[in-house]
Amino acid sequence: MSVTLYTSYAKGFLRSHELAALQPQVTAAHELLHSGNGLGNDFLGWVDLPVNYDKEEFARIEAAAARIRRDTDVFVVIGIGGSYLGARAVIEFLKSPNYNLLVKEAPQVVFAGNSISADAMNDVLALCEGKRVSVNVISKSGTTTEPAIAFRVFRDYLEKTVGKEEARRRIYVTTDRARGTLKELSDREGYETFVVPDDVGGRFSVLTAVGLLPVAVAGCDIAALMAGAAAAREAYTDPAIEVNDCYRYAAARHAMLRRGRAVELMVSYEPRYALMSEWWKQLYGESEGKDGKGLFPASVIFSTDLHSLGQFVQDGSNILFETVMQFDTPPSDLTIREEEENGDGLNFLAGKTMAEINRKAFEGTVLAHADGDTPSLVLQLPKMDEYNLGYLIYFFEKACAVSGYMLGVNPFDQPGVEAYKRNMFALLGKPGYESEREALEKRLGR
């Protein structure tokens, strides 16, 4: 298996019999998931997606990506939440957080429509000036406020700079298969379209066209990504937690929650993983955080954040546990050389690689945190490549679904996300929200 779970750094906090006691709940959750009898069973398309994906559309994605890589300097990806985080996380993990600065031949890949900041939008528009631009708008309905605003802006930009006909060729739409505002517009204008599957929710959609087109444009091997996910699907079919690290992770999280550790802190020692942590936070926060239940997902990059949050993790209130991502082989390495003067006192590191030093930072930290009453789960991945990332994505998705069912919630809906939207629409004066607006204005003291 590509993902290995170690619980040795949680000894004293997590006893083996606690996990064994959770086996019946894990088995019940597994059966709910695979029988399709659980809550949210209309959104289980991700379970078999790694083998049942649309091969014809996959070929179109690869062809479109190749065309974009030939004729585009800046590829603007418009989306929010699951229509944004997955693609960006995969690109930064496989390439670099500095991808757009390092890329020479492929297009820069930039993201818009994930906020309502005019400044952020103007920054992306400035990057596009004088460049060959293509746009991928990702939205199931086409009416989600943030991406809909961004698409208005960039559609107008393309039509003004290259003309309506050329704009049609440079706009790629990922939306519902058959209905919705964006689908209707695409059919009318002749944009090339890709599908957001009906049975795959946004936070589980990174291995659909939602994530695959931007990832392919960045030059990543999407076939290897799917192969890794397919291998994970095959690996995690046995519900027994002694052989299934995916389910053992779900059980360990529950054991920690029952001990009062209500915050799960995702830790990595590789900055490339930062956006994967953001994707993971949406996956677990949106899936579990309902009905007054769930762990709060947070994240850090060490050793960077040891110089800011390390004090709290080591010595603060005992509300959290860590899940630490470790990688056997980093994408690159660097050896420290010896200096004659040794003014910084670091000659004891001469001849050592930065990967080795980073590993010792992890080992020292995880032991110190255990001494400070903060337990750690450790997830080990062999390499930071497409195959292993696909495997890890599926690992987290399946563990999340099982964990949600163990909590007794629907892991596939997000009713709480709608509240802010209703208030925002009312305050902006959207037709049909007049009474709500008056009540909200009073609450704001206006």
Side-chain angles (χ1 to χ4, degrees):
M1 293 186 184
S2 282
V3 181
T4 306
L5 171 67
Y6 295 96
T7 59
S8 56
Y9 300 106
K11 284 181 179 177
F13 306 94
L14 187 65
R15 300 183 179 96
S16 59
H17 72 268
E18 292 181 85
L19 296 185
L22 288 168
Q23 181 64 69
Q25 291 182 51
V26 170
T27 300
H30 170 86
E31 290 173 355
L32 280 174
L33 181 63
H34 284 276
S35 68
N37 292 324
L39 294 170
N41 54 20
D42 290 339
F43 292 95
L44 298 180
W46 61 270
V47 176
D48 294 321
L49 179 70
V51 293
N52 288 347
Y53 63 91
D54 185 332
K55 309 303 190 295
E56 183 275 331
E57 181 180 62
F58 191 87
R60 286 200 301 113
I61 290 170
E62 292 185 309
R67 183 166 64 251
I68 293 163
R69 286 169 63 82
R70 288 193 302 268
D71 71 8
T72 301
D73 301 315
V74 178
F75 186 56
V76 181
V77 181
I78 297 172
I80 196 168
S83 298
Y84 150 72
L85 280 172
R88 185 170 176 183
V90 170
I91 291 168
E92 292 201 7
F93 180 92
L94 294 174
K95 296 297 183 180
S96 168
N98 298 310
Y99 167 78
N100 286 332
L101 297 175
L102 295 169
V103 67
K104 293 180 173 62
E105 295 179 1
Q108 291 181 311
V109 180
V110 297
F111 295 87
N114 47 71
S115 75
I116 317 177
S117 165
D119 189 57
M121 187 85 76
N122 283 325
D123 280 350
V124 180
L125 285 166
L127 287 171
C128 294
E129 285 300 322
K131 306 285 182 62
R132 298 175 300 167
V133 176
S134 295
V135 169
N136 176 207
V137 57
I138 306 166
S139 176
K140 182 87 169 160
S141 65
T143 59
T144 303
T145 305
E146 295 89 342
I149 290 173
F151 185 47
R152 273 198 180 199
V153 171
F154 282 96
R155 182 183 174 207
D156 182 63
Y157 173 85
L158 278 176
E159 290 180 352
K160 285 181 177 177
T161 55
V162 299
K164 195 162 185 175
E165 193 59 40
E166 179 66 8
R168 285 194 184 98
R169 198 178 68 81
R170 291 185 168 275
I171 293 174
Y172 301 82
V173 177
T174 307
T175 190
D176 190 89
R177 184 184 302 275
R179 60 186 181 275
T181 300
L182 193 52
K183 175 60 176 171
E184 292 171 7
L185 175 65
S186 300
D187 289 346
R188 187 167 67 248
E189 295 293 333
Y191 304 144
E192 182 168 6
T193 60
F194 302 94
V195 174
V196 181
D198 289 336
D199 57 357
V200 180
R203 57 189 176 275
F204 288 83
S205 67
V206 62
L207 298 178
T208 71
V210 169
L212 293 179
L213 179 58
V215 167
V217 169
C220 303
D221 185 346
I222 59 174
L225 195 70
M226 297 302 288
R233 172 187 171 276
E234 181 68 22
Y236 300 129
T237 55
D238 189 333
I241 58 177
E242 64 267 21
V243 298
N244 189 326
D245 277 6
C246 176
Y247 288 3
R248 195 154 63 99
Y249 170 61
R253 298 175 73 251
H254 278 262
M256 291 293 186
L257 179 59
R258 292 178 183 195
R259 282 176 165 268
R261 305 289 175 144
V263 176
E264 181 176 11
L265 186 66
M266 177 62 71
V267 178
S268 177
Y269 288 73
E270 289 292 344
R272 283 183 182 225
Y273 195 79
L275 262 292
M276 279 300 298
S277 288
E278 296 301 312
W279 171 82
W280 170 86
K281 285 192 286 190
Q282 185 199 5
L283 181 66
Y284 281 81
E286 211 167 65
S287 296
E288 293 185 327
K290 55 200 72 165
D291 302 335
K293 301 176 183 178
L295 285 154
F296 182 81
S299 65
V300 291
I301 294 294
F302 289 163
S303 62
T304 305
D305 292 326
L306 286 173
H307 296 261
S308 56
L309 294 175
Q311 172 64 37
F312 184 94
V313 177
Q314 179 71 37
D315 207 25
S317 55
N318 296 324
I319 61 172
L320 61 85
F321 69 96
E322 296 174 299
T323 295
V324 185
M325 283 303 313
Q326 276 290 298
F327 307 99
D328 291 336
T329 307
S332 64
D333 209 347
L334 187 66
T335 301
I336 305 301
R337 65 179 179 84
E338 186 171 5
E339 286 190 353
E340 184 176 346
E341 292 185 2
N342 194 27
D344 53 17
L346 294 180
N347 271 356
F348 73 98
L349 297 177
K352 291 182 170 62
T353 67
M354 288 191 69
E356 181 183 358
I357 297 167
N358 209 17
R359 177 75 188 187
K360 296 307 176 186
F362 151 70
E363 292 172 353
T365 301
V366 76
L367 292 173
H369 286 179
D371 292 341
D373 203 27
T374 299
S376 297
L377 308 174
V378 178
L379 294 172
Q380 191 87 14
L381 202 67
K383 292 179 67 177
M384 298 178 74
D385 63 8
E386 286 90 343
Y387 178 90
N388 284 283
L389 180 57
Y391 203 109
L392 181 66
I393 287 169
Y394 194 88
F395 173 98
F396 279 136
E397 288 180 343
K398 194 165 195 189
C400 181
V402 167
S403 185
Y405 281 145
M406 289 176 70
L407 276 174
V409 302
N410 180 349
F412 308 111
D413 68 354
Q414 53 278 341
V417 175
E418 301 305 314
Y420 92 88
K421 294 180 183 178
R422 290 193 298 271
N423 287 351
M424 180 177 69
F425 291 153
L427 291 168
L428 286 169
K430 185 174 181 177
Y433 289 78
E434 290 80 10
S435 60
E436 290 93 333
R437 180 180 184 179
E438 184 178 351
L440 291 171
E441 293 281 7
K442 286 182 180 178
R443 289 176 62 188
L444 291 168
R446 296 174 184 167

